[in-house]
Structures are given as structure tokens and as C-alpha cells.
Amino acid sequence: MEVNTGTDISVFGDTRLQPPLIVAEKDIFRDTLTVELKISFKGVDIHYTLDGTPPDSTSAKYEKPFLLSETADLKVIARKEGWKTSEVAGRLFVRSKHAPKSIALDKQPAEKYAANGPYSLVDFKKGSESFTDGNWLGWQGTHVTATMDLGEKKEVSRVTISALASPSSWIMLPKGMEVFVSETGQNFKKVAEKNFETNLKPYPPELRSFSEKFPSETARFVKIKV
């Protein structure tokens, strides 16, 4: 005969839910993008925000895949009665309304991080967490300025840059960016400036996007200093 007097709850580990999985075809889109949120645990509610603020029980509740038509800083959590709410998961989706006709750099990238040249910055393809995948442009010990020609005057109100951090390989995230616009390519006006938090401690490779919004400007040329 065996008498079972119960099981120590500690054998099940932490009772915190895992964050939902964010499923989308791409991070940069031209017109619209479908986003799906998944979790493999029954009876779980998923709440989300699109403006980068941490979601809670009062935030929008996920019911079915939804369509994005503008840039969105998606944040999601999972909630279930009797369980700890999950950590916040997030992903930045960027709608790129303009495809630059050309792009020029004031400094050439390091030879081993040259990708396909300046065009790699505007080809709508993102690099992976591997800095050797051939899709990254990288600079050593210097700032870099990229100037884009949109081909004609257009309304511009946001700039987004993507970056890779791999501290164990001495690849760091940028410390900040400045954005300038011009109608002629001669006299540039600064429209945005942002400093980013830096972390020099070792951590796994990480992809991150930095997006800066500013009052709409009419411009043909956009200059970004990173």
C-alpha cells in the first residue's frame, strides 16, 4: 500500500506564465502587416498595447490576429487566474512609407562588416543575431552619418534604425542618433536627437530597433547621424 500525502509545489518551479509568442512575417512593412499572438496554455488571457507602454488587465484583450497600418511598438503579457502574470514581451513593427532612391555614407564601414554597401541600410532586409550573416554594416571607433535621397519632396515624421549588440564580440548598441532634413540637400535642419542607454555587461546577442518620431516635415533629403 502507498499513501500519497501531496506533492511539494516547488517541484513544479515558478508559477509565472511565459510571455505570448509574437508572430509576424516581417518587422518592416510597406502597407499593412498581420500580427498574431500565441500561447500554448489554455485559459490564458493576452493583453497588449501598441504604443510601447507596459500592458495590464485593462489593456486591449487579444481575440484574433490583427492588422497594422502604422508603426507600432507592440507590448504583450499573458494572464491567468492563480498564476503570476508573465513578463512583458515586445516587438517594434515599422511601416516604411518611403523607399529612398539613394543613400550615401560619410565613412565607409569596417571591411568585415561591409554587407552590400550603403544600400544594405534601406533594402528592407534585417540582419540576424549573427554578426557574420553578411547583412550588417559596422563601424569601429567612429560615428557615422547616412544621407538618404527620397527622390522628391515628401512628408517625413519618423526615423527608425536597427542595431545588433553582441558584447562578447565587442559589438555594442549605438549611444544615440540625430536626424536632419533638407529640401535641397544643402541646408539641413535638425528635427530630432535621442540618446540611448548603453550596457557594457556581457549578455546574449540582441537585436534592437530605435524609433524617433518628430513633427512632420517636408523634405527630399534625410540625414541620420548614429
Side-chain angles (χ1 to χ4, degrees):
M1 182 174 69
E2 178 181 331
V3 178
N4 188 337
T5 60
T7 303
D8 186 346
I9 192 65
S10 65
V11 304
F12 295 107
D14 192 4
T15 57
R16 183 183 295 277
L17 294 168
Q18 291 297 312
L21 180 65
I22 303 172
V23 181
E25 185 179 351
K26 57 187 73 174
D27 293 272
I28 304 172
F29 63 100
R30 295 302 304 275
D31 298 308
T32 59
L33 178 71
T34 299
V35 178
E36 185 178 3
L37 305 179
K38 291 183 175 182
I39 194 163
S40 58
F41 204 68
K42 292 184 179 181
V44 173
D45 291 332
I46 298 175
H47 294 270
Y48 68 94
T49 61
L50 297 175
D51 60 0
T53 57
D56 56 28
S57 60
T58 65
S59 302
K61 186 177 178 180
Y62 177 75
E63 302 290 349
K64 60 182 180 180
F66 53 89
L67 202 65
L68 295 178
S69 58
E70 296 293 340
T71 294
D73 189 358
L74 175 64
K75 303 294 184 185
V76 299
I77 56 169
R79 298 181 71 256
K80 180 178 173 65
E81 181 98 22
W83 290 72
K84 294 179 182 177
T85 299
S86 73
E87 299 286 349
V88 177
R91 192 166 164 187
L92 179 65
F93 295 103
V94 179
R95 182 187 176 192
S96 181
K97 298 180 180 180
H98 310 310
K101 299 298 181 183
S102 64
I103 181 170
L105 302 172
D106 70 331
K107 299 182 183 71
Q108 293 306 305
E111 185 176 348
K112 59 182 178 180
Y113 305 126
N116 293 316
Y119 183 68
S120 298
L121 296 176
V122 293
D123 63 0
F124 299 97
K125 297 178 182 178
K126 292 195 68 174
S128 68
E129 291 184 353
S130 171
F131 60 86
T132 60
D133 68 3
N135 292 319
W136 287 104
L137 291 183
W139 288 265
Q140 294 177 316
T142 182
H143 309 312
V144 64
T145 299
T147 303
M148 296 178 290
D149 181 356
L150 303 181
E152 59 182 328
K153 295 177 184 179
K154 297 182 178 182
E155 292 297 311
V156 181
S157 60
R158 182 190 293 269
V159 165
T160 302
I161 62 173
S162 299
L164 167 69
S166 184
S168 61
S169 299
W170 291 98
I171 297 173
M172 308 300 181
L173 293 171
K175 295 198 295 184
M177 71 174 176
E178 300 176 23
V179 182
F180 307 81
V181 298
S182 171
E183 293 187 359
T184 64
Q186 299 297 321
N187 299 312
F188 281 85
K189 171 186 175 183
K190 182 186 285 191
V191 293
E193 181 176 4
K194 187 67 176 288
N195 294 320
F196 311 132
E197 291 185 8
T198 55
N199 182 4
L200 301 181
K201 296 179 180 179
Y203 57 90
E206 175 189 8
L207 295 174
R208 191 179 299 181
S209 293
F210 302 91
S211 190
E212 190 64 18
K213 188 172 177 60
F214 48 86
S216 182
E217 294 277 351
T218 300
R220 173 175 171 174
F221 298 88
V222 179
K223 181 186 293 186
I224 306 169
K225 181 178 180 181
V226 179

